[in-house]
Amino acid sequence: MRRLVSLCLLVLLPAMAWAQGFAAFISPPRFEVRTAAGQPLRQVLEIQHVGRAAGNYRIYTNDWTLDADHQVAFTNELAPDSCRPWVAIERRELTLQPGARYRYRFEIAPPAGTPPRECRFAIMVEGLEAAKVEGAVSFPVGGRIGVIVYAAIGDVAPALAITGTETIQANGQPTAVVRVRNTGTATGRVEGFLDATDAAGQSAEMSPADLPILPGETRRIALAPVAVDGKNAPTLRFPIKVRGQLESGKNKLPLDASFAP
């Protein structure tokens, strides 16, 4: 059964609830690694338990998909062409004392002869007990974190291009969006800063959302004003003119566009 959750979901509970349930931080939040067929790759993530009593966790792998609204669906079932059979995890259950940190090991072992491809999966860290919030109300709360792993096997790389622009409504506000197509063989992201001028003549820098663009996928990437010198990001009035270039590794993606309200 699939459940929609955020790409890296951590259920934050009131202080009184940490002692009874899920209370972990995971580092790093994602892995982007590279290896070759027939060469095992070992990695380590750190689990920090911040509860006031011992915490019990279950650890397992999932496949996942990302929809057009940037929501990820994790699933225990093996997806077609899943690479999870190549993945070995250190242990399936873990008990940590308050304040403890644990370096958790996993290994990716693509078989010899595996053709170049990207291996994608998630390592799930889930609290074994349901936390209960006491007070005016009392109800069970569950929590888990999905650590996304992108492993490039052999010579694979993203190939990103901007295919269009548009203005959408997000949270009731107009939002500038670029459509980015990935015709490559690995997941990519765009980054960088763009010069923007709004309808009132206000100048600002804008940057793209840090969203993955999977091979064969076209994804809408929102552009947002950037905070400068410790100040809040400015509010821009549409229409907005944007000029500059985004980057994907060594590739440059020039952009010169106007975004209507």
Side-chain angles (χ1 to χ4, degrees):
M1 178 178 181
R2 297 189 177 193
R3 296 166 55 192
L4 289 179
V5 293
S6 64
L7 187 58
C8 188
L9 171 62
L10 172 59
V11 177
L12 298 177
L13 305 175
M16 68 185 74
W18 289 103
Q20 300 182 44
F22 191 83
F25 294 121
I26 311 295
S27 178
R30 71 173 182 246
F31 287 82
E32 297 177 345
V33 296
R34 182 175 293 273
T35 188
Q39 295 184 4
L41 177 68
R42 296 177 179 87
Q43 295 290 303
V44 175
L45 61 86
E46 184 175 86
I47 303 172
Q48 179 186 6
H49 178 63
V50 295
R52 294 182 297 181
N56 297 302
Y57 298 96
R58 183 167 74 98
I59 304 166
Y60 54 97
T61 64
N62 265 189
D63 284 304
W64 58 273
T65 56
L66 188 66
D67 69 17
D69 294 324
H70 318 311
Q71 296 294 312
V72 68
F74 293 117
T75 177
N76 286 314
E77 298 177 3
L78 285 178
D81 201 29
S82 173
C83 64
R84 283 164 56 205
W86 306 345
V87 180
I89 58 176
E90 176 182 343
R91 57 195 300 179
R92 296 191 177 276
E93 292 190 1
L94 182 65
T95 298
L96 294 178
Q97 297 302 314
R101 298 172 183 262
Y102 189 88
R103 288 175 59 80
Y104 186 89
R105 296 167 293 178
F106 65 96
E107 180 180 277
I108 308 165
T114 300
R117 60 164 292 184
E118 182 177 68
C119 170
R120 297 187 298 271
F121 62 95
I123 295 179
M124 311 301 296
V125 181
E126 182 174 13
L128 285 177
E129 301 97 352
K132 182 168 286 189
V133 179
E134 302 291 350
V137 294
S138 179
F139 54 89
V141 183
R144 64 177 183 171
I145 291 177
V147 178
I148 305 299
V149 180
Y150 304 86
I153 313 299
D155 187 18
V156 295
L160 304 187
I162 296 174
T163 61
T165 62
E166 60 185 298
T167 303
I168 66 171
Q169 292 293 317
N171 299 319
Q173 299 294 326
T175 301
V177 165
V178 293
R179 294 190 298 275
V180 182
R181 176 73 175 169
N182 186 356
T183 57
T185 51
T187 297
R189 286 179 170 80
V190 290
E191 57 185 14
F193 296 95
L194 302 165
D195 295 323
T197 305
D198 75 355
Q202 178 181 204
S203 297
E205 287 188 328
M206 301 185 78
S207 64
D210 182 27
L211 290 170
I213 306 158
L214 277 57
E217 181 181 77
T218 298
R219 184 161 295 278
R220 289 173 168 174
I221 304 295
L223 304 177
V226 177
V228 178
D229 297 330
K231 299 178 181 178
N232 292 331
T235 299
L236 302 182
R237 292 178 53 190
F238 283 71
I240 298 173
K241 294 183 178 180
V242 175
R243 176 176 293 181
Q245 65 181 18
L246 298 176
E247 300 176 355
S248 172
K250 296 181 180 180
N251 296 326
K252 310 299 183 183
L253 286 69
L255 180 65
D256 187 350
S258 294
F259 295 89

